[in-house]
Amino acid sequence: MADLLAATLHQWGATARHPGDRLESRSGAGVHPVLTADGAEAYVKLTPADRGPHALAAARRELRFYRELAPAVAVGTPGLLAHADTGDAVALLLAAAGVAREPRSWTAAGWAGLGRDLARLHRTPAPDWQRPDDLHVAMAAADLAAVEAFWRPTLPRLAELVDRRDELRRQAAALPAAFIHGDCHTGNITLDGDRRHLLDWQVCGTGRPAADLALLNVRAAPGGVSAPPELLDGYLAEQPHDPAVTRLAVLAEELSVYVFQWPPFAAYNTAAGVEHVRRRARALHDQWFDGTAA
């Protein structure tokens, strides 16, 4: 990776901003802060072929997004300054675009603005954009032993919830399919004043709009944070969906992620973070069975 990065920086006349610094994307691609040849702050996102075919496919999906859709989508994205797709790697040079902030520091107005951003994104025409659907896979081939072991102390009607997973899936998919970001959380959103930029488009494509809205809560939950009502209020102000259907879709999506995907991630969280997630899932479990989607 070090030699590949050095060759990529040399090709573009860029220099490492903080040698040795490296961030991680969802796929494990290296994200390196750099200065461009004219001294502007930027990032190199580098995915070597040895990360495997899935990582390369994700990197190429992101490159395609920046080349084909980024200029047309009605949301902020980093500028694509240069790119390369060789047999050895996929590399993107992206302009710096603000800073990410912890969800606890977001204002109600910021959440409402993000809701409007996502509504506009979901109107993007992109009918041929395929993407992986990890939740669908997890629900179809659930590790029921792991689900039972983790959630039984928290969710009293877990067995019924598992038996009714097809109902959950239908509710989550109740909104028309749309072009979605696919990994929408505050760590992938930078703020530059009042403007938001969405980063890391490796799993974008046609999917459930509820997935973008629910994942914001899933990723914030270990910190004891959930998006305020202003998020969906902003979304619905731009999208003429039925509010009750939309709220139930988001609830079903978020609850499904916790039950069928989250247990393996408990090991990467603190005890306090796990407890926050348990409380959030229990609240959604109760709302779903009571028919009180918030």
Side-chain angles (χ1 to χ4, degrees):
M1 174 73 87
D3 290 344
L4 187 58
L5 176 63
T8 302
L9 295 181
H10 177 75
Q11 176 185 351
W12 291 334
T15 56
R17 220 186 306 166
H18 308 294
D21 277 8
R22 181 173 181 268
L23 308 176
E24 292 290 337
S25 75
R26 175 189 174 109
S27 70
V31 182
H32 307 269
V34 302
L35 295 175
T36 65
D38 59 3
E41 293 187 353
Y43 292 88
V44 168
K45 190 166 187 178
L46 188 60
T47 305
D50 63 12
R51 293 300 169 90
H54 294 296
L56 277 181
R60 288 179 175 133
R61 186 183 299 108
E62 182 169 37
L63 175 56
R64 182 187 174 200
F65 168 81
Y66 279 114
R67 297 184 69 188
E68 297 181 14
L69 287 184
V73 295
V75 298
T77 65
L80 179 65
L81 305 178
H83 65 275
D85 184 355
T86 68
D88 295 326
V90 175
L92 287 72
L93 180 64
L94 299 167
V99 295
R101 300 194 184 280
E102 292 294 325
R104 194 175 297 278
S105 71
W106 278 57
T107 65
W111 286 110
L114 177 58
R116 293 191 294 270
D117 289 345
L118 291 175
R120 290 190 290 268
L121 174 67
H122 294 169
R123 293 200 297 268
T124 302
D128 62 336
W129 279 71
Q130 300 303 309
R131 64 178 300 276
D133 189 342
D134 293 342
L135 177 59
H136 178 82
V137 172
M139 295 179 79
D143 183 345
L144 296 181
V147 169
E148 169 77 18
F150 184 80
W151 286 116
R152 171 53 61 192
T154 303
L155 306 180
R157 298 174 71 176
L158 176 63
E160 184 179 352
L161 197 62
V162 170
D163 287 344
R164 295 171 64 183
R165 73 184 99 166
D166 287 343
E167 183 180 350
L168 275 172
R169 190 159 43 209
R170 287 194 300 271
Q171 291 170 343
L175 302 179
F179 182 82
I180 67 172
H181 180 278
D183 194 17
C184 186
H185 59 86
T186 56
N188 278 340
I189 303 168
T190 57
L191 304 177
D192 185 6
D194 292 333
R195 184 168 173 76
R196 293 158 297 279
H197 294 83
L198 274 67
L199 321 178
D200 204 355
W201 294 86
Q202 293 196 339
V203 290
C204 66
T206 302
R208 296 178 300 280
D212 278 345
L213 295 158
L215 188 60
L216 287 160
N217 283 328
V218 172
R219 290 296 296 267
V225 178
S226 59
E230 283 81 0
L231 173 69
L232 283 184
D233 290 345
Y235 186 81
L236 291 167
E238 293 275 345
Q239 275 285 35
H241 296 319
D242 182 284
V245 172
T246 302
R247 290 185 169 86
L248 180 57
V250 176
L251 186 156
E253 179 86 24
E254 186 180 351
L255 181 58
S256 297
V257 171
Y258 290 133
V259 172
F260 296 102
Q261 286 187 291
W262 207 85
F265 293 95
Y268 301 97
N269 284 267
T270 65
V274 171
E275 182 59 26
H276 286 313
V277 169
R278 288 189 183 277
R279 290 178 183 174
R280 176 69 181 174
R282 175 61 187 266
L284 297 177
H285 161 284
D286 293 349
Q287 289 172 20
W288 193 73
F289 281 108
D290 292 345
T292 57

